[in-house]
């Protein structure tokens, strides 16, 4: 019972540590997205108070400084046609971007990966104003997020594809294994043992981001922990077995010392 209790306590401590790491990254990503939406909203109102004809808007956007995390600013027609882009690789249209403010899933174009944040332009909602956030920014945020010891942090979009990972950035764009997706279904946070994107197993804790529907997780490879747990279990069992055998030996010795004089008393001739 003591061994089982110790193992449960270790598991709980591990899950709590992973959950803290996941929550910290989730907070950083949420702040970044909320800040981008606020800045775009402010810019939209500012431009709407001026000449809202397209040539004037393009000149104003060209002169406007970008947000610190933005690769570029862009303007689209309601049908998704790109009307203006301030430079670099233009983000592809997001088919679900109609209507209110929208945070895209992972977008990949011209060898670049990133995400787009856009909202209806205030002046009659004739346009959609957006910011392209390069995947390198999310990668840097994950690396700075304080990965758990021996583990890593990951950011996923709503389709459970990797946007960024603190280690192994080559995994960007890969999808979570179905078993991991199933374990996370219908829950906003939790901890589980699951498969890794690139093979193997891990212990992970995840947190869903309400503002975007994305998710983050903090994970550690399961194999080293499983080996350490097996060694600890075997050592505990060996110690318990040794103690049991020693107890039996001592009990046998004491029993002989007690029963030997009695045996001599009942033996004829004594």
């Amino acid at each position: 019972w003591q061994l089982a209790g110790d193992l449960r306590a270790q598991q709980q401590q591990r899950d709590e540590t992973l959950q803290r790491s996941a929550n910290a990254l989730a907070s950083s990503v949420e702040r970044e997205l909320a800040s981008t939406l606020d800045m775009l909203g402010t810019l939209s109102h500012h431009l709407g108070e001026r000449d809202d004809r397209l040539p004037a808007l393009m000149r104003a956007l060209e002169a406007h400084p970008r947000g610190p995390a933005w690769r570029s600013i862009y303007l689209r027609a309601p049908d998704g046609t790109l009307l203006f882009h301030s430079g670099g690789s233009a983000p592809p249209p997001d088919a679900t971007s109609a209507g209110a403010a929208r945070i895209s899933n992972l977008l990949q174009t011209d060898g670049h990966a990133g995400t787009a944040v856009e909202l209806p332009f205030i002046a009659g909602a004739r346009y959609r104003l957006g910011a392209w956030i390069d995947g390198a920014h999310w990668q840097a945020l994950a690396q700075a997020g304080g990965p758990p010891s021996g583990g890593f942090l990951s950011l996923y979009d709503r389709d459970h594809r990797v946007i960024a990972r603190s280690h192994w950035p080559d995994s960007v764009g890969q999808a979570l294994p179905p078993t991991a997706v199933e374990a996370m279904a219908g829950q906003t946070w939790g901890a589980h043992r699951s498969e890794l994107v690139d093979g193997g197993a891990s212990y992970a804790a995840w947190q869903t981001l309400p503002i975007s529907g994305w998710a983050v997780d903090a994970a550690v490879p399961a194999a080293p922990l499983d080996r350490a747990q097996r060694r600890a279990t075997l050592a505990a069992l060996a110690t318990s077995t040794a103690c049991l055998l020693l107890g039996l030996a001592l009990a046998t010795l004491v029993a002989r010392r007690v029963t030997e004089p009695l045996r001599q008393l009942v033996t004829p001739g004594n």
Side-chain angles (χ1 to χ4, degrees), residues 77-92:
D79 63 0
T81 302
L82 187 67
L83 302 173
F84 169 82
H85 186 243
S86 62
S89 299

Side-chain angles (χ1 to χ4, degrees), residues 44-132:
S44 177
H45 281 287
H46 174 69
L47 295 176
E49 294 173 351
R50 304 169 60 178
D51 188 347
D52 64 354
R53 290 173 296 183
L54 185 57
L57 289 176
M58 292 172 63
R59 289 192 298 270
L61 287 173
E62 186 67 50
H64 195 278
R66 306 173 189 173
W70 302 356
R71 183 181 181 88
S72 61
I73 306 173
Y74 64 88
L75 195 68
R76 291 192 190 279
D79 63 0
T81 302
L82 187 67
L83 302 173
F84 169 82
H85 186 243
S86 62
S89 299
D94 185 353
T96 59
S97 62
R102 177 69 179 176
I103 298 172
S104 75
N105 280 331
L106 176 70
L107 302 173
Q108 295 174 291
T109 179
D110 297 334
H112 290 281
T115 56
V117 179
E118 61 180 57
L119 71 172
F121 188 63
I122 296 301
R126 290 179 293 165
Y127 310 111
R128 293 189 67 83
L129 179 64
W132 170 255

Side-chain angles (χ1 to χ4, degrees), residues 8-251:
R8 283 194 298 270
Q10 291 173 12
Q11 179 181 351
Q12 182 177 359
Q13 183 179 16
R14 179 194 65 221
D15 290 347
E16 289 175 350
T17 299
L18 293 174
Q19 196 69 63
R20 284 194 296 270
S21 295
N23 292 346
L25 178 58
S27 297
S28 296
V29 174
E30 285 270 283
R31 284 194 299 269
E32 193 69 62
L33 292 172
S35 174
T36 295
L37 285 170
D38 287 343
M39 292 175 69
L40 286 174
T42 300
L43 176 58
S44 177
H45 281 287
H46 174 69
L47 295 176
E49 294 173 351
R50 304 169 60 178
D51 188 347
D52 64 354
R53 290 173 296 183
L54 185 57
L57 289 176
M58 292 172 63
R59 289 192 298 270
L61 287 173
E62 186 67 50
H64 195 278
R66 306 173 189 173
W70 302 356
R71 183 181 181 88
S72 61
I73 306 173
Y74 64 88
L75 195 68
R76 291 192 190 279
D79 63 0
T81 302
L82 187 67
L83 302 173
F84 169 82
H85 186 243
S86 62
S89 299
D94 185 353
T96 59
S97 62
R102 177 69 179 176
I103 298 172
S104 75
N105 280 331
L106 176 70
L107 302 173
Q108 295 174 291
T109 179
D110 297 334
H112 290 281
T115 56
V117 179
E118 61 180 57
L119 71 172
F121 188 63
I122 296 301
R126 290 179 293 165
Y127 310 111
R128 293 189 67 83
L129 179 64
W132 170 255
I133 303 177
D134 197 78
H137 175 73
W138 299 123
Q139 184 70 28
L141 203 63
Q143 291 173 338
S149 178
F152 51 89
L153 291 166
S154 303
L155 175 64
Y156 304 96
D157 68 11
R158 291 180 295 276
D159 290 336
H160 305 102
R161 292 181 302 158
V162 177
I163 296 174
R165 176 170 282 182
S166 60
H167 297 67
W168 308 294
D170 291 343
S171 61
V172 169
Q174 295 182 14
L176 274 175
T179 52
V181 174
E182 183 179 355
M184 297 168 64
Q187 302 181 69
T188 57
W189 63 275
H192 61 184
R193 178 189 171 102
S194 69
E195 297 177 62
L196 290 169
V197 168
D198 41 8
S202 71
Y203 293 106
W206 80 90
Q207 175 74 45
T208 301
L209 283 64
I211 195 172
S212 61
W214 296 353
V216 303
D217 77 15
V220 290
L225 296 177
D226 290 345
R227 285 195 296 269
Q229 192 174 82
R230 282 195 296 269
R231 286 196 298 268
T233 301
L234 290 174
L237 290 175
T239 300
S240 299
T241 302
C243 290
L244 177 61
L245 293 175
L246 179 60
L248 290 173
L250 291 174

